[in-house]
Amino acid sequence: MDSFEKTAVEACRVAGEYLVSEFERESLDADYGPDDVKAVADRGSERQILDVLTTAYPDHGVFAEESGKRVGESDYRWVVDPLDGTNNFCSGIPYFGVAAALLRGNEPILSVIHDPLHDDTYVAKRGEGATLNGEPIRAESAVTSDHATVAYAVGINVLRDEELKAQSDELESNLSGYGKRVWRSWAPVLDWGLLARGKLEAVVCFHPDDVEQHAGWLLAEESDARLANEGDLFVATASDDLFTELESLF
């Protein structure tokens, strides 16, 4: 395990342990907006991650969901989602994760996604494949396209723009014609993990948030998912047949 990977895994696991302890509390502090939830745990988790990353690499840049952008002196930049699935977390739904991606210039070269409730850690390194808890994984599903589950994710900007929301609603309606079920989890990083291990047949993202998309897309690439994107529409599948069908979305 190289130093970048080791540090990112440590950061996500430390944050995950913190989130599990907070999730087990009976009451959760959060600010509820019309289209988003900000929990105290978001900020707490981010502090845990950034403490590890910035101590190890003080010259690296950072873009984190809560604290925003910090310019670094090197070509490396971390993109961090400290709690993906805040709505689930605050509602007691056990489906949330932590993600960190390392970019060199504008290219993601390392992705770490951690599912703290199951103690599962996904890692993808540019050109080196993807692993789950150290074991190689591949986005391959034998489920036929008519029985497929398609995860659908949208970025926060979609919810705040009437035109984008209308486009998203139309896209989701079109997706209902493919497979068995359209899955809206509100924790896309875990959806990417399930795709990478062949448990989901497809992930479709519309104007996704950078803090989750960099990590998820690299994981899909390195797990050999079938990929297509045009502008802010991204499609990844674990099935050749479903990929052929979903190409019609473009």
Side-chain angles (χ1 to χ4, degrees):
M1 184 183 295
D2 65 31
S3 61
F4 289 153
E5 177 185 349
K6 182 178 180 180
T7 302
V9 168
E10 178 189 359
C12 289
R13 290 184 66 86
V14 167
E17 291 173 0
Y18 164 80
L19 288 174
V20 170
S21 67
E22 290 295 300
F23 186 68
E24 291 172 348
R25 295 172 54 199
E26 292 186 1
S27 61
L28 296 167
D29 297 326
D31 296 323
Y32 293 84
D35 50 30
D36 197 15
V37 177
K38 291 295 183 185
V40 170
D42 280 278
R43 297 186 288 274
S45 177
E46 186 168 293
R47 285 193 298 271
Q48 300 281 337
I49 296 174
L50 295 186
D51 282 350
V52 175
L53 295 180
T54 58
T55 297
Y57 305 108
D59 61 334
H60 286 193
V62 174
F63 179 75
E65 185 175 36
E66 300 304 313
S67 59
K69 182 178 180 180
R70 190 189 77 173
V71 177
E73 297 178 357
S74 80
D75 292 334
Y76 292 102
R77 174 168 58 99
W78 294 95
V79 178
V80 173
D81 191 341
L83 174 51
D84 189 38
T86 306
N87 282 278
N88 297 342
F89 183 89
C90 292
S91 298
I93 299 170
Y95 196 81
F96 55 87
V98 182
L102 177 62
L103 281 63
R104 185 168 52 211
N106 291 318
E107 180 184 42
I109 61 170
L110 170 68
S111 164
V112 175
I113 292 173
H114 183 56
D115 175 353
L117 290 177
H118 296 94
D119 198 24
D120 283 337
T121 303
Y122 302 89
V123 175
K125 292 189 285 186
R126 175 72 61 190
E128 297 186 34
T131 61
L132 169 60
N133 301 328
E135 297 297 323
I137 53 174
R138 190 169 189 271
E140 190 69 52
S141 174
V143 174
T144 58
S145 60
D146 58 326
H147 287 88
T149 299
V150 179
Y152 180 54
V154 302
I156 190 65
N157 289 339
V158 174
L159 304 179
R160 296 171 177 173
D161 184 293
E162 290 186 6
E163 183 177 347
L164 288 178
K165 189 175 186 309
Q167 294 175 26
S168 174
D169 290 344
E170 182 179 1
L171 176 58
E172 185 172 9
S173 178
N174 291 338
L175 283 175
S176 66
Y178 302 99
K180 178 182 67 176
R181 180 185 182 191
V182 177
W183 162 245
R184 292 284 297 269
S185 73
W186 296 102
V189 297
L190 296 191
D191 298 345
W192 287 114
L194 292 178
L195 174 81
R197 64 199 288 189
K199 297 296 185 180
L200 278 178
E201 283 65 59
V203 175
V204 176
C205 299
F206 184 61
H207 286 259
D209 298 327
D210 284 346
V211 289
E212 62 204 30
Q213 185 68 11
H214 284 305
W217 193 249
L218 181 59
L219 181 62
E221 286 183 300
E222 292 300 320
S223 62
D224 293 327
R226 296 74 168 155
L227 305 172
N229 81 280
E230 183 176 309
D232 289 300
L233 176 61
F234 298 80
V235 172
T237 79
S239 158
D240 291 329
D241 290 344
L242 187 58
F243 183 76
T244 299
E245 294 180 15
L246 290 178
E247 280 188 303
S248 65
L249 295 173
F250 294 97

